[in-house]
Amino acid sequence: MGLDIVLLTIYFICIGYLVYQMVLAVEADLEDRVAFIPDPDSLGRALADQLTRQGLSADLGQVETALPPPLKPQMGMTLTPPARRPEARLPSEADGLIAVQVLPQGPQPLKPLLGLTVQVLNQTQAFQVAVDWDRSSFTQMNNQARRVIRHTPGTRMDLGLPQVVSVVNPNQLLSAVATSEDCFSLNPDTQLLQVAMPLVDPNRLLSVPPPVRVYALDLALTITPVIGRGARPLVLLLPFRFQVERLVAQSPVPYRQWWPK
């Protein structure tokens, strides 16, 4: 009986040791992650202020924690365009929503970002949305403005020329990648512009104090009624700001660090 207990004890110790080594092997493959945390407060304040300055109600614009499909269920802004007739104030008379989102957000692999994905959803029936890339800007840490370029693979464009605005007509969705002018270089073999450096380097941002681990895309939009001669367009400059934080990889087995003790 005593020998059986000794053998069982040795057996369970070996099994436990093998499981422990498997956990260590899994942990060795884990990588630290980074979180891109949006700032809804600055976006909400800017949206309300710009609507008010143009004689509209601040309630027309809202910052949502999760946008509806086909957009990602993450932070963004929605806008109910002003009624075409001053007396048309009922919700049933609304033309639908315009939603804007900048990605990525939340936990991501600790890898450089070559660009930011801009998504604009136009669910209205009578409004046209135009994204003006040349009037937009990108900033990082020191708030030095950098020119925004819509990245189109295989382009031969001259960066010195003005960019064409991206138009989102009723019931359309725009998904575009935006980067900065200084991230491009010319490939000598193909004579095509290519992204030579990342727009956002999380490792570089994580090396500075937390208050300056930020970047922002100020996106310029113009919303114009499709029908209505002489109608005044709505102009917005939306500040999508992000804080960068490190996420340390966690052990797949809770309390693993206590085992050796």
Side-chain angles (χ1 to χ4, degrees):
M1 183 66 180
L3 181 61
D4 292 340
I5 293 177
V6 171
L7 292 177
L8 284 174
T9 302
I10 295 175
Y11 173 77
F12 285 120
I13 290 175
C14 293
I15 294 297
Y17 179 77
L18 289 175
V19 172
Y20 179 71
Q21 292 299 320
M22 292 172 62
V23 172
L24 291 180
V26 172
E27 285 188 347
D29 293 334
L30 292 177
E31 296 181 354
D32 288 347
R33 294 167 66 82
V34 65
F36 302 117
I37 303 175
D39 182 0
D41 293 335
S42 62
L43 177 60
R45 288 193 301 268
L47 181 59
D49 179 69
Q50 293 176 41
L51 289 172
T52 303
R53 288 176 180 272
Q54 297 179 74
L56 301 173
S57 172
D59 295 335
L60 294 177
Q62 301 291 333
V63 176
E64 309 286 350
T65 56
L67 292 183
L71 301 178
K72 296 287 186 181
Q74 294 176 320
M75 193 278 287
M77 59 78 61
T78 59
L79 175 72
T80 303
R84 286 171 291 174
R85 302 186 310 276
E87 66 275 9
R89 297 298 182 185
L90 298 177
S92 60
E93 295 179 301
D95 277 294
L97 293 175
I98 294 171
V100 185
Q101 186 178 60
V102 175
L103 302 171
Q105 297 181 24
Q108 301 290 329
L110 187 56
K111 297 179 180 179
L113 295 181
L114 298 181
L116 303 177
T117 300
V118 176
Q119 293 190 314
V120 180
L121 177 64
N122 184 2
Q123 293 181 319
T124 69
Q125 303 299 320
F127 290 87
Q128 186 181 68
V129 184
V131 182
D132 193 332
W133 304 105
D134 279 339
R135 292 179 55 238
S136 304
S137 64
F138 177 80
T139 56
Q140 187 174 228
M141 291 193 299
N142 57 5
N143 287 330
Q144 181 178 356
R146 297 160 62 183
R147 185 187 178 201
V148 172
I149 299 292
R150 180 186 178 183
H151 178 41
T152 304
T155 182
R156 296 179 182 270
M157 68 178 180
D158 182 356
L159 293 179
L161 298 176
Q163 298 180 83
V164 177
V165 299
S166 295
V167 175
V168 190
N169 284 318
N171 298 312
Q172 290 185 352
L173 169 67
L174 170 70
S175 183
V177 177
T179 186
S180 176
E181 182 181 35
D182 52 9
C183 294
F184 284 91
S185 68
L186 187 65
N187 188 315
D189 298 326
T190 63
Q191 295 300 306
L192 296 176
L193 288 173
Q194 61 184 14
V195 177
M197 59 180 293
L199 178 67
V200 178
D201 187 351
N203 286 296
R204 179 167 173 256
L205 287 175
L206 292 172
S207 66
V208 300
V212 292
R213 294 177 187 171
V214 295
Y215 64 90
L217 174 65
D218 291 351
L219 194 64
L221 298 182
T222 302
I223 301 170
T224 308
V226 176
I227 302 174
R229 182 175 300 176
R232 184 166 60 109
L234 173 62
V235 180
L236 296 174
L237 184 62
L238 304 176
F240 287 90
R241 307 190 185 282
F242 296 87
Q243 179 83 26
V244 179
E245 292 187 5
R246 182 188 297 274
L247 298 179
V248 180
Q250 299 294 325
S251 171
V253 178
Y255 313 115
R256 195 281 301 168
Q257 63 272 20
W258 292 358
W259 288 11
K261 302 179 182 180

